[in-house]
Amino acid sequence: EVQLVESGGGLVQAGGSLRLSCAASGFTFDDYAIGWFRQAPGKEREGVLCISSSDGSTAYEDSILGRFTISSDNAKNTVYLQMNSLKPEDTAVYYCALSDSCTPGAARYFASWGQGTQVTVSS
């Protein structure tokens, strides 16, 4: 069974930083694509960043360029989302999800999802 568990969310002031973790199990970690998505209240879920074992990283959202980075530790079966210079508009529930590829990046192409972790950025 594929399992994805997010952690690391919390409350932070604008300009602060958080690092989210996605602990994965139940699949071959040397052949994967894991994306980070977020959903704010009243808004649709949107892709943020994705990383794959074959193609490296892919950005889905221009507003995070230069502020967010994605990385993986294959030995730990974990993907990280480092978030710097956080803004109130980054407030959302953040999810990690598993697919065969980062492209296409729509949520419907990701078959397995974690339960999410809340990120709240105060102004």
Side-chain angles (χ1 to χ4, degrees), residues 33-38 46-52 56-71 79-84 94-97 102 105 110:
I34 291 179
W36 285 98
F37 294 77
R38 65 186 182 184
E46 64 177 3
V48 180
L49 281 166
C50 183
I51 189 167
S52 80
S57 63
T58 300
Y60 298 138
E61 172 56 52
D62 289 343
S63 69
I64 58 85
L65 293 176
R67 300 189 297 121
F68 292 11
T69 56
I70 190 168
S71 63
V79 171
Y80 304 96
L81 181 66
Q82 179 67 47
M83 304 185 295
N84 299 324
Y94 283 72
Y95 301 89
C96 63
C102 289
F110 287 75

Side-chain angles (χ1 to χ4, degrees), residues 6-31:
E6 302 95 336
S7 62
L11 175 64
V12 64
Q13 292 186 342
S17 298
L18 286 172
R19 188 181 73 164
L20 307 184
S21 298
C22 175
S25 63
F27 63 96
T28 303
F29 205 74
D30 61 354
D31 184 13

